[in-house]
Amino acid sequence: MHETDMTKALIATLQDWWKAQSEPKISCVHLVVGKFTCVEPLSLQFAFEVQSQNTFLEGTKLSIRETPLIAFCHHCQQEYHPEIGIQYACPQCHSPMEDIRSGRELKIDRVEYSTNTIEDTYAPNF
Amino acid sequence: MHQTFDAALGINLLHANQQGAEHNRAHFDQWGIICLNVMSSPGAGKTVLLERTLAALTNEFKIAVIEGDMTTELDANRLRQYNVPVIAINTGRSCHLDSKMVAGGIHCLAHEYNPSDFDLLLVENVGNLVCPAEFEVGEHAKVALLSVTEGEDKPLKYPVMFQEADCLLITKTDLAPYLEIDISQIEANVRQMNPHVTIIQVSAKTNDGLENWFNWLRNAVQSNTAKSVMSLT
Ligand SMILES: Nc1nc2c(ncn2[C@@H]2O[C@H](COP(=O)(O)OP(=O)(O)O)[C@@H](O)[C@H]2O)c(=O)[nH]1
Ligand SMILES: [Mg+2]
Ligand SMILES: [Zn+2]
Ligand SMILES: [Zn+2]
Ligand SMILES: [Zn+2]
C-alpha cells in the first residue's frame, strides 16, 4: 500500500526535475532500491504503471535495481550479509549491525530522456 | 530529429518528503519545539501512552499533539480532555504521515496559537510497522512502541523501524505474565540492529516504568532548551 505513496513521492520529485529541464520526454527512470527498505519492487512497478497514466510519465519505463543488505563489522574488519528477518548481528563475533554499507538506498539513479529539436517541432507531417 | 540523453540524478526517491521534513524542522527549531514521531503497529498503545504523558507533564511543559492515527475517530477527542491543542490529520487511506501532512498541522497550530510557547510536539503516526519510519516528518527523534503481545520476532521481521528508533517503549508489560514472551529476547533482537537505542518497559495499566519514559522526555526537552539558549548567546 505504501508503494502508492512512494510512487507519488517519486512522481513529485521527477516532476521538479522535468520542469527544470524544460519538459523533455522521459523514456526510462532507473531506480536503486535497497533490500533494507520498506519498498517492494514489484508493488512499486505496478503502482508506477497505474499512477503515471495521464501524466508526463505516461509510457515511461521504470527499471529497478535491487541492492543487497551488506554491513561492515568493525570488530572483524570485514563485510557480512545479514539475513533479513533472521539475524542482523555479525555471524562471527555477534557484534550488532551498526555500519550498513548497502541496502538502505532509495534512489533515482538515472533518467533517460529525449528532446525534440526545433526542426522536429516545425517539420511538416507527411 | 531526436536527441537522447542520460542524466545521472542520484536524488533520493523521497527527496520531496525530505525537503518538507526540513521545512518542518526549521519551524520547530525557530519555535524552540522538540518534535517526536511516535510509531507502532495499530493497538500497541500509542494513544494511551500519550494520555498518560499529557496527564503527567502538562504542568511542566507546554505540549501539542498531532494525531494521525485515525483508526478510532475518538483518539483526538480522548487527548483533548487534557486541554492541549490536538490537531487531527485526516490521512485518508495513507498508511503513514508524510511531511506535507504534518506541515499542514503545524501551520494550523501556528495560526491559532503562539507556536513559540510550546516545548514539545508529539506526533502519533498511523498504526503501521513498515513505512512510517521511512517518511520523516521533521522529528528530532523517533519513538517506537512494541507491545508484549506482538511477539519477540517483530523487530527482526520489521527491522527498519526498530533500527531507526531512538527510543523503544516495550508496552503492556502488565500482560507479560499471561503470555509466553521473553522481554529480554525482544531487547536482544532490537539491539542486534540498533545497539544505542534507549529501551524502556512500560505499562499504562499499572503505570510501571512510565516515570522512566517521562524522564527520557524531560531530558529531550531540556537538552533542546539548552541548545536554543546556547544559540541565542
Ligand atoms: N493491559 C494493557 N492494555 C493497554 C496498555 N496500553 C494500551 N492498552 C490497551 O490497548 C488498546 C489499544 O491502545 P491504543 O492506545 O488505542 O493503541 P494505538 O492504536 O497504538 O493508539 C486499548 O484497548 C488500550 O486500553 C497497557 O499498558 N496494558
Ligand atoms: Mg491511537
Ligand atoms: Zn505508508
Ligand atoms: Zn564481527
Ligand atoms: Zn511553514
Side-chain angles (χ1 to χ4, degrees):
Chain A
M1 186 154 90
H2 49 268
E3 278 78 8
T4 308
D5 295 278
M6 286 284 175
T7 306
K8 219 186 280 170
L10 167 66
I11 293 176
T13 304
L14 285 172
Q15 190 162 27
D16 288 345
W17 177 85
W18 176 71
K19 284 196 172 140
Q21 302 296 313
S22 54
E23 315 193 351
K25 170 77 194 142
I26 301 179
S27 55
C28 185
V29 176
H30 295 263
L31 302 184
V32 178
V33 171
K35 286 254 195 217
F36 198 70
T37 64
C38 72
V39 172
E40 186 56 56
L42 276 178
S43 316
L44 192 63
Q45 201 58 266
F46 178 71
F48 185 79
E49 267 168 44
V50 173
Q51 289 170 243
S52 62
Q53 279 170 22
N54 302 317
T55 73
F56 68 103
L57 290 168
E58 169 128 34
T60 299
K61 216 177 127 237
L62 188 67
S63 150
I64 302 174
R65 180 164 65 86
E66 276 195 280
T67 51
L69 175 58
I70 301 172
F72 183 80
C73 176
H74 285 271
H75 184 257
C76 301
Q77 282 295 306
Q78 64 183 23
E79 288 186 345
Y80 66 100
H81 292 251
E83 295 173 88
I84 294 174
I86 299 164
Q87 154 115 10
Y88 299 90
C90 170
Q92 298 223 338
C93 72
H94 306 289
S95 295
M97 175 176 78
E98 279 208 74
D99 190 352
I100 296 177
R101 294 284 166 95
S102 154
R104 285 295 282 138
E105 302 82 0
L106 270 179
K107 197 169 68 175
I108 309 169
D109 191 31
R110 294 186 295 120
V111 170
E112 288 173 49
Y113 64 101
S114 57
T115 50
N116 291 334
T117 59
I118 292 172
E119 307 93 274
D120 196 27
T121 315
Y122 292 103
N125 214 348
F126 293 113
Chain B
M1 275 270 291
H2 257 11
Q3 272 194 295
T4 57
F5 301 92
D6 196 325
L9 259 64
I11 301 177
N12 194 299
L13 211 153
L14 297 178
H15 179 73
N17 188 67
Q18 287 174 342
Q19 279 195 322
E22 272 161 36
H23 173 101
N24 295 348
R25 199 172 290 124
H27 276 311
F28 298 141
D29 292 342
Q30 177 199 357
W31 297 333
I33 292 180
I34 184 135
C35 173
L36 303 178
N37 189 354
V38 181
M39 301 177 278
S40 77
S41 56
K46 296 181 295 300
T47 308
V48 172
L49 180 83
L50 295 192
E51 285 191 79
R52 298 288 179 278
T53 305
L54 296 177
L57 297 182
T58 41
N59 48 19
E60 277 179 58
F61 306 123
K62 198 137 163 67
I63 306 176
V65 175
I66 287 184
E67 180 55 57
D69 191 8
M70 302 285 284
T71 41
T72 65
E73 298 243 334
L74 304 170
D75 277 11
N77 285 335
R78 262 160 70 190
L79 297 171
R80 285 195 183 103
Q81 294 173 16
Y82 299 90
N83 291 322
V84 298
V86 177
I87 297 147
I89 295 189
N90 194 342
T91 49
R93 280 182 304 145
S94 180
C95 44
H96 57 264
L97 286 173
D98 64 30
S99 59
K100 252 211 187 97
M101 297 175 191
V102 170
I106 63 175
H107 290 155
C108 197
L109 182 77
H111 187 70
E112 289 177 38
Y113 302 86
N114 178 1
S116 302
D117 288 347
F118 291 88
D119 305 303
L120 177 63
L121 176 68
L122 297 166
V123 177
E124 179 175 346
N125 214 309
V126 180
N128 178 351
L129 275 186
V130 184
C131 52
E134 212 74 89
F135 286 80
E136 49 175 334
V137 300
E139 68 273 17
H140 297 93
K142 291 178 162 63
V143 177
L145 278 67
L146 181 71
S147 66
V148 295
T149 56
E150 292 173 78
E152 295 94 343
D153 58 338
K154 291 307 167 293
L156 300 179
K157 290 188 174 154
Y158 300 94
V160 176
M161 174 159 307
F162 297 99
Q163 199 253 332
E164 294 261 319
D166 299 287
C167 179
L168 171 71
L169 294 165
I170 298 175
T171 61
K172 308 193 190 180
T173 52
D174 59 287
L175 298 177
Y178 307 101
L179 307 162
E180 288 191 21
I181 182 100
D182 179 356
I183 295 183
S184 65
Q185 190 60 50
I186 300 180
E187 298 197 355
N189 285 345
V190 172
R191 290 206 187 282
Q192 264 194 52
M193 62 191 84
N194 189 350
H196 306 298
V197 64
T198 302
I199 301 180
I200 304 171
Q201 297 182 21
V202 295
S203 164
K205 180 143 182 145
T206 64
N207 294 337
D208 268 359
L210 283 180
E211 200 52 40
N212 295 333
W213 158 243
F214 300 151
N215 283 335
W216 187 87
L217 277 176
R218 287 183 181 109
N219 198 32
V221 173
Q222 272 151 19
S223 56
N224 190 49
T225 314
K227 203 176 65 195
S228 37
V229 170
M230 298 258 284
S231 70
L232 285 177
T233 55

